[in-house]
Amino acid sequence: MNVVAQDLRWGVKRKTIVSDVSLTVAPGETLGLIGPNGSGKSSLLRLLAGLRRPLSGRVEINGRDISKVPRRALSQQVAFVQQNAATDTNVTVRDVVRLGRTPHRSALSGWSDADEAAVAAALDCVDMTGRRAQAWQTLSGGERQRVHIARALAQTPQVMFLDEPTNHLDIHHQIEILRMVRDLDLTSIVALHDLNLAAMFCDRIVVLDAGSVRACGIPDAVLTQDLLRKVFRVAADVSASPDAGRPHIRFRTE
């Protein structure tokens, strides 16, 4: 499914947080949202996922205005992975992933073979099948994030939105999570802080600054020394990597 945003604007009180943002995400593409703190990444992600209504503009998924799609129907197509989802409830990994089937089930429906198959496939996709009976509280941070993604996959979505999915993870788990997201057969839009990870794993990158799009394109066209200085206010050397279109950024201290 493709995602198209047209002239999105959103804010609170008198402060504009997302300002006239337009973008298009192709089916199967992994789009990265990057920008300084407060640039509007999380807010834009929630607008695109239909979790917030814009003050103006529209979002279309596969040609349909999502404001006119019933919430349950939208949740069957779109999944959202938060930065940090936590629970104090004593639940297993499988219990958490089963929650992803909620949009597909009515209040009176029983647990079906299709539900079970979706949960099993989601656990297998994130390599957590062997941990399905393990208590949530015993998981590491990287394992929990994989379970969050499995819960989203259990929705059988066609578009996935991820808000800082590698936040607070060590580098091994950061790479593991983003490689897994990139390899999914889905359209993915992911907000990231780490610019080198965005360059490694995203097909295209949108740079936000003060709620507006400053640049959009493939990583090596977007992540330039000039943009890093103007938007992120850092000095850096940008070099080519062996992967075409995948630059490497080395930040300077001066």
Side-chain angles (χ1 to χ4, degrees):
M1 280 191 168
N2 70 329
V3 179
V4 177
Q6 299 177 342
D7 302 320
L8 289 183
R9 186 173 64 86
W10 182 82
V12 290
K13 296 183 178 179
R14 296 184 179 180
K15 182 177 181 181
T16 299
I17 296 174
V18 174
S19 178
D20 300 322
V21 170
S22 296
L23 56 84
T24 299
V25 191
E29 184 176 29
T30 298
L31 181 77
L33 299 180
I34 64 173
N37 287 339
S39 60
K41 298 187 298 295
S42 293
S43 296
L44 175 58
L45 206 63
R46 282 163 171 76
L47 290 168
L48 295 173
L51 299 177
R52 286 179 178 157
R53 287 189 176 273
L55 297 176
S56 61
R58 59 191 283 164
V59 177
E60 293 182 355
I61 294 181
N62 216 30
R64 296 186 66 191
D65 185 338
I66 63 172
S67 68
K68 299 176 182 177
V69 178
R71 176 62 54 184
R72 183 177 175 186
L74 185 62
S75 297
Q76 292 172 355
Q77 300 174 357
V78 169
F80 191 94
V81 179
Q82 301 180 64
Q83 287 188 39
N84 296 299
T87 178
D88 294 325
T89 307
N90 185 22
V91 294
T92 66
V93 166
R94 182 173 177 272
D95 291 331
V96 174
V97 179
R98 279 168 59 102
L99 294 173
R101 297 304 298 163
T102 302
H104 297 273
R105 304 175 65 237
S106 67
L108 300 177
S109 65
W111 189 253
S112 69
D113 290 342
D115 293 325
E116 192 61 41
V119 169
L123 286 167
D124 182 64
C125 186
V126 302
D127 196 24
M128 289 294 285
T129 299
R131 304 287 188 93
R132 62 187 180 277
Q134 187 169 333
W136 166 261
Q137 301 292 352
T138 65
L139 299 177
S140 70
E143 290 166 343
R144 290 186 182 190
Q145 195 65 299
R146 281 155 62 188
V147 174
H148 290 325
I149 293 173
R151 179 176 61 182
L153 291 174
Q155 291 178 230
T156 58
Q158 294 174 293
V159 183
M160 184 179 293
F161 299 90
L162 304 99
D163 190 7
E164 306 281 2
T166 59
N167 204 19
H168 305 309
L169 298 183
D170 60 48
I171 187 62
H172 168 76
H173 286 114
Q174 290 179 32
I175 292 173
E176 183 181 59
I177 292 291
L178 290 176
R179 180 181 291 120
M180 180 181 64
V181 169
R182 180 194 61 190
D183 292 342
L184 292 171
D185 187 22
L186 294 172
T187 304
S188 300
I189 303 175
V190 52
L192 291 167
H193 265 308
D194 191 302
L195 305 186
N196 278 309
L197 288 177
M200 287 173 63
F201 293 104
C202 297
D203 298 311
R204 288 189 304 130
I205 291 173
V206 168
V207 181
L208 292 176
D209 186 23
S212 298
V213 175
R214 289 289 299 271
C216 178
I218 61 174
D220 68 344
V222 168
L223 296 174
T224 64
Q225 292 180 349
D226 187 55
L227 180 134
L228 295 173
R229 177 174 52 81
K230 290 179 178 178
V231 174
F232 293 92
R233 294 181 294 175
V234 294
D237 296 316
V238 182
S239 58
S241 80
D243 298 323
R246 308 286 180 183
H248 176 73
I249 302 167
R250 184 174 65 83
F251 298 102
R252 299 201 302 263
T253 56
E254 71 267 19

